[in-house]
Amino acid sequence: MAVLKQEQKINLTTKKQHPRLRSMKDFYRKLKRNKAALVGGYLILFLTIVSLIGPYFLSNGINDVDYTARLQPPSAEYWLGTDQHGRDIFSRIIYGGQITLIVGFLSVALGGIVGVAIGIASGYYGGKIDTVIMRLMDILLAFPGILLALAIVSILGPDIVNVIYAVAIYSIPSFARIARGSTLSVKKLEYIDAVRGIGAGDFRILVRHVLPNVISPLIVQATLSIATAILTASGLSFLGLGAQPPSPEWGAMLNDGRGYMHDAGHIALFPGLAIVIAVLAFNLFGDGIRDALDPKSK
Amino acid sequence: MDHDSILKINDLKTYFKIDDQKVVKAVDGVSFEVPKGKTLGIVGESGSGKSITALSILQLLDEPGEIVGGEILFNGDNLIEKSIPEMRKIRGNQISMIFQEPMTSLNPVHTIGNQISETIDIHQKLSRTESKKKTIELLELVGIPSPEKRIKQYPFELSGGMRQRVMIAIALASNPELLIADEPTTALDVTIQAQILELIKDLQDQLGMSVMLITHDLGVVAETCDYVAVMYAGKVVEYSDVETLFEDPKHPYTVGLLNSLPRHDIKQEELTPIDGMVPSPFEMPVGCRFAPRCPHATDLCREKLPSLWELNKDQEVRCWIYTEEWDGDQEVKVSDSLNLA
């Protein structure tokens, strides 16, 4: 046994690992030590799996109205009780999870792609283009996120798809700023001059050489943005500007239960808890990734 | 000088406009030629405009640097008039450049194989297997052992000398006619320096390309160059073939540079530096830029800027001493002040 251990040790020190693999391993090692991040990560995994395959196992549909079973408290038949129309809250929350995750991922993906493209182009070209773009971003940033999203949805009309656009638009400036800042430091490096020196065009330089070197702070930003996106989307639906009834979106459900807080608090409580758990999961995980990607942390 | 030149630079001016009043004339009327198949060394201290000249040729200047005058004739074509896409086709294809810092000139996120084949992909239409084959050949050419394994490695896994070899492989990927090497050995230790210079020399003989070698090391010049341009404060002060430069230097600055080198053939207690400092780019002397530090300077030197005189077929010098107008000691011989064995 001892011999085996020694061998392993030697292997660890002499065997050269693929650097990408090594940095990935290093990343996992740091992430695993951060308990809060692990909890966040597992929660995200759990939420994703449940909302993806959960609906196949549910006996109660999301819009099965049963007026004989209105405002029921949690029971063996209705795990989380029923609402004012006798719909099963548990089924609705699980379906609602799909909507929440799709809105979160899609809006951040959309906003992230546009924001990063704007940011690296702005940082790389500099000059007047940079000034104009970044002042525009400052204007967008000056609005509180929810207010901007509210304004955009009011223009586009209340609909869950428009919520995705609204959240995407307001996450653009933060991505653009981070991407621009990192690009400014990367573009001064000699290897960028060297690729210009071999005749590479701007597109190739930006995509192949700048982007991979600025990606890690953006991954952190994306994870944390998903949390904000979920919260904003629920908020808009709560206000009646997002998902429309009878959609089981969590924010909309919260709004449904608002009138019955005294008689049947569970109608509002459970969707609210679901939002808290989802937002918390992405925040914890995002913080964990940030610490793990930070080369200064051990 | 009438050589068959691959590159001919006439009166090149590259200025950096700091604000409306302040302009740094980093390269101010530089002219020289790179003869076909030969090596031209460009020597000068930091801030003399060597690197800016090189970057001007490839038009890789960063803001606020700008070429404001002169011509850069490459095979007779003026590169300054080329459009951006036309310049892109020239970079890395007909003219390649090696940078000073091999440690930071390679992108840390790509394998060296990918970085070499990138140049091939940009300029040649080759299939993936052909491109990989060429990459391995290039690594063999620059003397990197077991290239099949190396192409999968990342820059951090290679030593400085190895990385500089990779940079050379990248530069050679499209068989350039001219290789610009900007202090290729400055960041390397002495034994590796010699290997890299040897490699460049061998490759030049093998591939028949011309080389423009920028350095501040006269030892490197003596070893590798055929011709030398000595730069001082944004101007060429002396241009000659390498033997003449070391045997019979004409410009007082060149003599000063040679005297400040350690020598093994004479007994030296201490080195002889050039007195004074390089002039600030904001307060250039009106006359000869070297006049404030020159032991022979007269009023003429301090008031009027000399031009680059052609002394003979192989030597040009920017100094009043060699003109009719010289008002100082008629018998002065600059090379007499050279420490001789």
Side-chain angles (χ1 to χ4, degrees):
Chain A
M1 194 61 196
V3 176
L4 203 89
K5 256 193 182 159
Q6 216 170 19
E7 247 170 38
Q8 277 174 337
K9 238 182 207 165
I10 292 166
N11 262 341
L12 272 179
T13 47
T14 53
K15 198 180 148 203
K16 265 210 165 169
Q17 283 175 330
H18 192 278
R20 202 168 273 169
L21 189 79
R22 201 168 67 170
S23 65
M24 280 307 271
K25 275 193 172 161
D26 196 40
F27 171 74
Y28 283 130
R29 187 178 56 80
K30 286 178 184 173
L31 197 64
K32 259 199 295 203
R33 277 216 311 248
N34 186 339
K35 291 286 174 299
L38 270 191
V39 170
Y42 285 128
L43 270 177
I44 293 172
L45 201 66
F46 173 75
L47 285 175
T48 314
I49 292 171
V50 165
S51 44
L52 278 181
I53 61 169
Y56 296 105
F57 296 96
L58 294 171
S59 48
N60 300 313
I62 47 165
N63 287 320
D64 293 350
V65 177
D66 180 2
Y67 284 100
T68 60
R70 292 177 71 229
L71 307 174
Q72 297 279 321
S75 64
E77 194 187 346
Y78 304 108
W79 287 2
L80 299 179
T82 60
D83 65 5
Q84 67 271 38
H85 302 294
R87 295 176 294 193
D88 181 22
I89 292 179
F90 181 70
S91 308
R92 288 175 65 77
I93 284 183
I94 291 190
Y95 273 102
Q98 276 187 0
I99 302 176
T100 303
L101 289 177
I102 288 172
V103 171
F105 281 114
L106 273 190
S107 59
V108 169
L110 202 64
I113 290 169
V114 176
V116 170
I118 289 178
I120 59 175
S122 182
Y124 182 74
Y125 290 109
K128 286 204 180 78
I129 307 174
D130 181 40
T131 315
V132 172
I133 291 180
M134 288 329 283
R135 288 305 79 76
L136 274 176
M137 293 297 121
D138 285 345
I139 293 172
L140 280 180
L141 266 183
F143 291 101
I146 186 90
L147 199 69
L148 184 66
L150 212 78
I152 298 167
V153 174
S154 327
I155 298 168
L156 298 175
D159 182 38
I160 193 73
V161 178
N162 292 341
V163 169
I164 296 181
Y165 292 139
V167 175
I169 290 173
Y170 97 67
S171 33
I172 289 173
S174 45
F175 280 104
R177 282 197 146 198
I178 295 170
R180 173 183 176 265
S182 315
T183 305
L184 284 180
S185 61
V186 169
K187 80 163 178 180
K188 296 272 175 230
L189 296 175
E190 263 194 330
Y191 59 78
I192 300 295
D193 276 338
V195 268
R196 277 171 72 204
I198 61 168
D202 288 347
F203 185 74
R204 177 185 282 269
I205 294 174
L206 286 176
V207 174
R208 267 183 62 96
H209 296 278
V210 176
L211 188 60
N213 284 295
V214 302
I215 204 80
S216 36
L218 292 168
I219 291 173
V220 176
Q221 174 65 18
T223 319
L224 294 173
S225 288
I226 291 177
T228 328
I230 290 174
L231 200 61
T232 312
S234 314
L236 288 172
S237 298
F238 178 77
L239 295 172
L241 290 166
Q244 298 298 313
S247 162
E249 209 278 337
W250 294 344
M253 287 171 71
L254 201 64
N255 190 28
D256 280 347
R258 200 166 41 100
Y260 302 88
M261 285 291 273
H262 282 289
D263 316 314
H266 66 267
I267 304 180
L269 178 71
F270 291 119
L273 269 181
I275 296 172
V276 170
I277 290 170
V279 171
L280 191 69
F282 280 102
N283 271 333
L284 288 177
F285 191 58
D287 280 343
I289 295 182
R290 181 175 51 205
D291 292 343
L293 284 177
D294 183 358
K296 281 184 214 115
S297 78
K298 279 183 188 163
Chain B
M1 251 171 255
D2 37 37
H3 297 291
D4 190 8
S5 301
I6 185 138
L7 183 78
K8 193 167 177 179
I9 293 182
N10 287 325
D11 201 25
L12 177 71
K13 290 179 176 152
T14 302
Y15 294 173
F16 288 74
K17 219 174 161 188
I18 309 295
D19 56 40
D20 285 340
Q21 258 111 61
K22 282 183 178 171
V23 173
V24 175
K25 299 176 175 178
V27 175
D28 197 12
V30 162
S31 309
F32 60 78
E33 301 174 23
V34 183
K36 231 173 215 157
K38 303 279 184 197
T39 303
L40 170 76
I42 298 194
V43 208
E45 47 200 304
S46 306
S48 58
K50 303 166 296 194
S51 294
I52 299 299
T53 306
L55 292 173
S56 302
I57 295 170
L58 283 175
Q59 291 173 36
L60 290 174
L61 292 161
D62 279 327
E63 293 272 314
E66 200 189 342
I67 299 174
V68 294
E71 35 177 27
I72 299 169
L73 299 172
F74 178 68
N75 282 334
D77 283 350
N78 190 355
L79 295 184
I80 295 173
E81 287 161 6
K82 297 270 184 211
S83 69
I84 294 171
E86 281 173 330
M87 268 320 290
R88 232 173 248 159
K89 278 193 196 124
I90 291 169
R91 291 181 201 139
N93 196 17
Q94 286 158 288
I95 307 177
S96 281
M97 185 156 173
I98 311 171
F99 291 83
Q100 191 168 348
E101 263 306 329
M103 304 312 266
T104 54
S105 295
L106 290 164
N107 191 332
V109 303
H110 294 298
T111 60
I112 61 163
N114 272 338
Q115 296 192 57
I116 297 172
S117 59
E118 184 161 26
T119 323
I120 303 170
D121 295 342
I122 293 172
H123 297 292
Q124 300 161 41
K125 284 203 175 73
L126 289 183
S127 71
R128 272 189 104 146
T129 38
E130 283 174 319
S131 168
K132 191 178 164 190
K133 213 179 117 208
K134 181 104 199 258
T135 304
I136 291 172
E137 281 171 17
L138 282 164
L139 284 174
E140 264 165 12
L141 187 70
V142 297
I144 289 182
S146 52
E148 290 87 358
K149 257 164 68 188
R150 295 287 176 177
I151 54 171
K152 292 188 197 112
Q153 290 189 322
Y154 285 82
F156 83 96
E157 296 173 82
L158 273 66
S159 66
M162 280 294 178
R163 285 190 217 186
Q164 197 58 294
R165 283 172 194 265
V166 172
M167 290 309 295
I168 295 172
I170 291 174
L172 296 181
S174 300
N175 292 331
E177 293 164 57
L178 173 67
L179 178 71
I180 301 174
D182 186 358
E183 310 218 9
T185 56
T186 307
L188 306 172
D189 63 59
V190 186
T191 45
I192 308 296
Q193 266 186 25
Q195 288 175 14
I196 294 289
L197 290 171
E198 188 80 1
L199 174 69
I200 294 177
K201 197 110 195 89
D202 281 354
L203 291 170
Q204 182 182 17
D205 294 342
Q206 230 171 310
L207 308 170
M209 61 185 175
S210 316
V211 176
M212 184 176 139
L213 183 76
I214 297 172
T215 178
H216 58 246
D217 188 340
L218 281 166
V220 169
V221 169
E223 256 170 64
T224 49
C225 299
D226 302 303
Y227 292 88
V228 191
V230 181
M231 283 187 72
Y232 184 77
K235 288 192 180 294
V236 173
V237 292
E238 184 160 358
Y239 179 100
S240 76
D241 69 288
V242 72
E243 274 108 37
T244 319
L245 187 95
F246 282 93
E247 276 163 25
D248 186 18
K250 288 288 194 279
H251 199 282
Y253 176 63
T254 317
V255 173
L257 275 184
L258 290 170
N259 280 345
S260 57
L261 283 178
R263 300 259 298 259
H264 64 83
D265 54 347
I266 50 172
K267 201 164 184 276
Q268 278 173 306
E269 288 293 324
E270 51 192 83
L271 298 174
T272 328
I274 306 174
D275 288 333
M277 296 272 287
V278 183
S280 148
F282 299 111
E283 290 161 28
M284 278 292 170
V286 212
C288 172
R289 290 179 175 182
F290 188 60
R293 303 170 77 182
C294 180
H296 309 289
T298 64
D299 287 344
L300 174 70
C301 303
R302 281 181 278 269
E303 277 153 26
K304 265 174 84 182
L305 183 74
S307 45
L308 201 58
W309 309 105
E310 193 168 326
L311 287 180
N312 55 53
K313 179 168 124 316
D314 282 320
Q315 204 163 19
E316 290 175 13
V317 65
R318 188 186 287 279
C319 182
W320 285 117
I321 295 176
Y322 306 98
T323 67
E324 302 276 302
E325 286 150 84
W326 175 240
D327 58 346
D329 180 1
Q330 294 296 325
E331 301 299 312
V332 68
K333 216 171 157 231
V334 175
S335 51
D336 280 353
S337 49
L338 192 67
N339 295 334
L340 289 172

